[in-house]
Protein backbone atom coordinates (compact mmCIF):
# COMPACT_ATOMS: atom_id res chain seq x y z
CA UNK A 1 0.00 0.00 0.00
CA UNK A 2 1.39 3.39 -0.96
CA UNK A 3 1.16 6.70 0.92
CA UNK A 4 -1.39 7.72 -1.72
CA UNK A 5 -3.51 4.65 -0.90
CA UNK A 6 -3.14 5.43 2.82
CA UNK A 7 -4.54 8.93 2.29
CA UNK A 8 -7.34 7.61 0.05
CA UNK A 9 -8.45 5.00 2.59
CA UNK A 10 -7.70 7.09 5.69
CA UNK A 11 -5.04 4.75 7.03
CA UNK A 12 -2.43 6.11 9.41
CA UNK A 13 0.53 3.93 10.27
CA UNK A 14 1.29 4.32 13.96
CA UNK A 15 4.70 5.18 15.36
CA UNK A 16 6.22 2.84 17.94
CA UNK A 17 5.14 5.24 20.71
CA UNK A 18 1.57 5.35 19.35
CA UNK A 19 1.52 1.55 19.16
CA UNK A 20 2.58 1.20 22.80
CA UNK A 21 0.00 3.81 23.85
CA UNK A 22 -2.68 1.82 22.01
CA UNK A 23 -1.53 -1.47 23.55
CA UNK A 24 -1.60 0.11 27.03
CA UNK A 25 -5.18 1.30 26.45
CA UNK A 26 -6.68 -2.20 26.12
CA UNK A 27 -7.15 -5.01 28.63
CA UNK A 28 -7.33 -8.09 26.45
CA UNK A 29 -5.17 -9.06 23.51
CA UNK A 30 -4.65 -12.11 21.35
CA UNK A 31 -1.58 -14.31 21.53
CA UNK A 32 -0.70 -16.18 18.35
CA UNK A 33 1.59 -19.20 18.60
CA UNK A 34 2.61 -22.20 16.51
CA UNK A 35 1.70 -25.60 17.98
CA UNK A 36 2.60 -28.77 16.09
CA UNK A 37 3.18 -26.68 12.97
CA UNK A 38 -0.26 -25.06 13.10
CA UNK A 39 -1.25 -21.55 14.20
CA UNK A 40 -3.30 -21.14 17.37
CA UNK A 41 -4.65 -17.98 18.97
CA UNK A 42 -5.59 -17.30 22.58
CA UNK A 43 -7.16 -14.29 24.32
CA UNK A 44 -5.03 -13.06 27.23
CA UNK A 45 -5.20 -10.38 29.88
CA UNK A 46 -1.88 -8.58 29.98
CA UNK A 47 0.09 -5.55 31.02
CA UNK A 48 2.79 -3.55 29.32
CA UNK A 49 6.08 -3.45 31.20
CA UNK A 50 8.44 -0.96 29.56
CA UNK A 51 8.37 -2.08 25.96
CA UNK A 52 7.33 -5.68 26.48
CA UNK A 53 4.02 -7.46 27.03
CA UNK A 54 3.54 -9.69 30.09
CA UNK A 55 0.69 -12.11 30.76
CA UNK A 56 -0.12 -14.84 33.29
CA UNK A 57 -1.20 -18.34 32.40
CA UNK A 58 -1.30 -21.87 33.73
CA UNK A 59 0.32 -25.03 32.45
CA UNK A 60 -0.96 -26.18 29.08
CA UNK A 61 -1.14 -25.54 25.38
CA UNK A 62 -0.86 -21.73 25.52
CA UNK A 63 2.25 -21.85 27.70
CA UNK A 64 3.81 -24.65 25.66
CA UNK A 65 3.19 -22.74 22.42
CA UNK A 66 4.55 -19.48 23.79
CA UNK A 67 7.72 -21.14 25.08
CA UNK A 68 8.27 -23.43 22.07
CA UNK A 69 11.10 -21.32 20.68
CA UNK A 70 8.98 -20.23 17.71
CA UNK A 71 8.25 -16.53 17.25
CA UNK A 72 4.96 -15.32 18.70
CA UNK A 73 2.58 -12.53 17.77
CA UNK A 74 0.42 -10.43 20.07
CA UNK A 75 -2.40 -8.22 18.76
CA UNK A 76 -4.83 -5.73 20.25
CA UNK A 77 -7.42 -3.57 18.57
CA UNK A 78 -10.12 -1.10 19.38
CA UNK A 79 -12.74 1.27 18.05
CA UNK A 80 -13.57 4.85 19.05
CA UNK A 81 -17.26 5.47 18.23
CA UNK A 82 -16.88 9.25 18.57
CA UNK A 83 -14.14 9.60 15.96
CA UNK A 84 -15.34 6.55 13.95
CA UNK A 85 -11.76 5.28 13.92
CA UNK A 86 -10.52 1.77 14.56
CA UNK A 87 -6.97 0.78 15.38
CA UNK A 88 -4.81 -2.29 15.59
CA UNK A 89 -1.35 -2.81 17.10
CA UNK A 90 0.82 -5.90 16.66
CA UNK A 91 3.90 -7.09 18.57
CA UNK A 92 6.02 -9.80 16.93
CA UNK A 93 8.83 -11.33 18.92
CA UNK A 94 9.99 -14.02 21.29
CA UNK A 95 8.33 -15.17 24.49
CA UNK A 96 10.09 -16.28 27.64
CA UNK A 97 9.68 -16.53 31.37
CA UNK A 98 11.47 -14.31 33.89
CA UNK A 99 14.74 -15.92 34.92
CA UNK A 100 16.74 -13.68 37.24
CA UNK A 101 15.60 -13.24 40.83
CA UNK A 102 15.15 -9.51 40.26
CA UNK A 103 13.06 -10.06 37.11
CA UNK A 104 10.89 -12.64 38.91
CA UNK A 105 10.26 -10.29 41.86
CA UNK A 106 9.49 -7.32 39.57
CA UNK A 107 7.19 -9.43 37.40
CA UNK A 108 5.20 -10.68 40.41
CA UNK A 109 4.35 -7.04 41.23
CA UNK A 110 2.80 -6.33 37.81
CA UNK A 111 -0.97 -5.66 37.75
CA UNK A 112 -2.21 -8.67 35.75
CA UNK A 113 -5.64 -10.00 36.64
CA UNK A 114 -6.76 -12.99 34.52
CA UNK A 115 -10.50 -13.22 33.88
CA UNK A 116 -10.59 -17.02 33.89
CA UNK A 117 -10.31 -18.88 37.18
CA UNK A 118 -7.69 -21.45 37.98
CA UNK A 119 -4.03 -21.39 38.82
CA UNK A 120 -2.19 -18.87 36.65
CA UNK A 121 1.24 -19.02 38.23
CA UNK A 122 3.32 -18.72 35.06
CA UNK A 123 4.35 -15.28 33.82
CA UNK A 124 5.34 -14.91 30.18
CA UNK A 125 7.08 -11.87 28.70
CA UNK A 126 6.97 -11.08 24.98
CA UNK A 127 10.07 -9.18 23.91
CA UNK A 128 9.37 -7.46 20.60
CA UNK A 129 11.42 -7.75 17.45
CA UNK A 130 8.84 -5.59 15.66
CA UNK A 131 5.92 -3.38 16.72
CA UNK A 132 3.49 -2.09 14.11
CA UNK A 133 0.05 -0.55 14.07
CA UNK A 134 -2.45 1.43 12.11
CA UNK A 135 -5.50 3.59 12.64
CA UNK A 136 -8.20 4.02 10.03
CA UNK A 137 -11.61 5.49 9.45
CA UNK A 138 -14.44 2.98 9.56
CA UNK A 139 -16.64 3.25 6.48
CA UNK A 140 -20.33 4.02 6.88
CA UNK A 141 -22.10 0.86 7.96
CA UNK A 142 -18.74 -0.76 8.80
CA UNK A 143 -19.19 -0.65 12.55
CA UNK A 144 -22.32 -2.02 14.09
CA UNK A 145 -24.49 0.39 15.99
CA UNK A 146 -25.75 -1.11 19.27
CA UNK A 147 -29.34 -2.35 18.98
CA UNK A 148 -31.96 -0.99 21.28
Amino acid sequence: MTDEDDALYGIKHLSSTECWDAIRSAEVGRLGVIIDGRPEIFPVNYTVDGESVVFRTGEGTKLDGALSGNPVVFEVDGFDPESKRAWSAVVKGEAGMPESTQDIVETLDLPIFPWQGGIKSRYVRIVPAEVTGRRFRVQAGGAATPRR
Side-chain angles (χ1 to χ4, degrees), residues 17-78:
T17 300
E18 290 171 316
C19 287
W20 285 113
D21 288 346
I23 294 166
R24 283 183 185 90
S25 75
E27 292 182 32
V28 176
R30 290 164 209 79
L31 171 70
V33 299
I34 301 295
I35 299 171
D36 295 329
R38 301 180 64 163
E40 297 285 342
I41 193 161
F42 300 93
V44 294
N45 300 83
Y46 67 94
T47 192
V48 174
D49 184 31
E51 288 193 349
S52 66
V53 174
V54 181
F55 65 93
R56 285 173 49 189
T57 190
E59 299 291 332
T61 306
K62 183 187 325 169
L63 180 65
D64 293 344
L67 301 179
S68 70
N70 291 315
V72 300
V73 63
F74 178 80
E75 187 269 346
V76 294
D77 51 41

Side-chain angles (χ1 to χ4, degrees), residues 20 51-53 72 91-96 125-131:
W20 285 113
E51 288 193 349
S52 66
V53 174
V72 300
V91 175
K92 296 176 185 175
E94 302 293 325
R125 180 180 304 274
I126 301 171
V127 177
E130 179 181 12
V131 179

Side-chain angles (χ1 to χ4, degrees), residues 85-104:
R85 293 191 180 273
W87 59 267
S88 176
V90 176
V91 175
K92 296 176 185 175
E94 302 293 325
M97 293 183 19
E99 294 180 9
S100 73
T101 302
Q102 181 176 348
D103 195 23
I104 291 169

